[in-house]
Amino acid sequence: MGLKIWLDNKLVDETDAKISVFDHGLLYGDGVFEGIRIYSSRIFELEAHIKRLYESAKAIRLVVPMSKDKLIRAVEKTTEANGVIDGYIRLVVTRGVGTLGLNPFICEEGRLFIIADNIQLYPEELYEKGMKVISATTVRNHPLSIPAQVKSLNYLNNILAKIEALDNNVPEAVMYNHEGYVAEATGDNVFIVKNGVVFTPPVEAGALEGITRGIVIKLAKEEKLEVVEKNLTRFDLFNCDEFFLTGTAAEVIGVVDIDSRIIGAGSPGPITRLLRKKFYQYAHGKKS
Ligand code: PMP
């Protein structure tokens, strides 16, 4: 049996969850989305994800065709209907069915769908050993073209950088903005540690305001670590003591090599491991 998918205002069988080829989400990548975790049957930071979805939609003048409260219930119902204990939710709002022209305002009402499924994780070994990354030559979209805070369906900028990573046999690439400062990775936020201080680029550098990023900043401060949001260069990454990425799917993962420069001792450092542990405990509702 297939999954139950939430489509517009009800659950349908996977085989009946269909979107038109005239939907501008498909024709133009015109829409917004969220990726959300389920840990031990609890939907992680759902309200923060819903808030971000509405803010993304507002920025692109897309009306989410459902109230926030109803949307929260729809996400919960979809999770329950599929019996997902530990998994991943994809919540998508498209511009809706339009013509072949660009005009979004003649589209019918936006379409909304929710998928709750299992998640394909990075192998455990990668968390223990840390990952290699490269610097992408693809420059992050200029914030005056598409603000990075908008989690839009148009991910080509990130996909081009991801292709560079995969061509180099590594899973992730760091993207730099038009000024040469670190923006983010293709699907994760960037953190480094230098002399015991945790640094991450400000959102204005071209990063999505990651929900995992926000939690990791909070957890680091609870551990009495200094956290500084500041522009970082490629040189800063090469010469840091620790390097890690954060994201809903990846959680907290150490980086041990960028462009063949070894980070620290070549394995995830103590602050990375501490924050990964704290994040795990927080996500699973455990106290230390
Ligand atoms: N940056 C990009 C481009 C992403 O796609 C994601 C994953 N949604 C992130 C950062 C991390 O954000 P979050 O912690 O909210 O998943």
Side-chain angles (χ1 to χ4, degrees), residues 6-11 50 53-54 62-75 77-78 91 93 109-114:
W6 188 278
L7 184 60
D8 299 327
N9 43 37
K10 61 175 185 304
L11 284 164
I50 298 290
L53 181 86
Y54 272 77
L62 170 65
V63 178
V64 178
M66 201 183 268
S67 71
K68 279 187 190 168
D69 287 347
K70 278 196 175 152
L71 187 48
I72 286 173
R73 278 302 298 146
V75 173
K77 280 184 191 160
T78 312
L91 165 53
V93 183
E109 196 176 49
R111 309 275 328 252
L112 185 151
F113 61 88
I114 307 166

Side-chain angles (χ1 to χ4, degrees), residues 19 22-33 56-57 59-63 92-99 101-111 113 146 150-155:
I19 295 277
F22 288 98
D23 193 305
H24 279 207
L26 180 59
L27 286 177
Y28 295 115
D30 186 354
V32 294
F33 76 102
S56 291
I60 68 163
R61 295 190 59 193
L62 170 65
V63 178
V92 180
V93 183
T94 74
R95 185 73 71 176
V97 171
T99 64
L102 283 180
N103 188 345
F105 299 131
I106 53 175
C107 290
E108 291 166 10
E109 196 176 49
R111 309 275 328 252
F113 61 88
I146 304 177
V150 176
K151 198 163 168 56
S152 91
L153 290 181
N154 190 323
Y155 252 55

Side-chain angles (χ1 to χ4, degrees), residues 19 21 28 58 124 126 135 158 163 204 224 251 260:
I19 295 277
V21 292
Y28 295 115
K58 183 172 184 186
E124 189 54 37
L126 206 56
S135 292
N158 309 52
I163 288 172
E204 306 85 80
K224 305 277 180 280
E251 301 175 317
S260 302

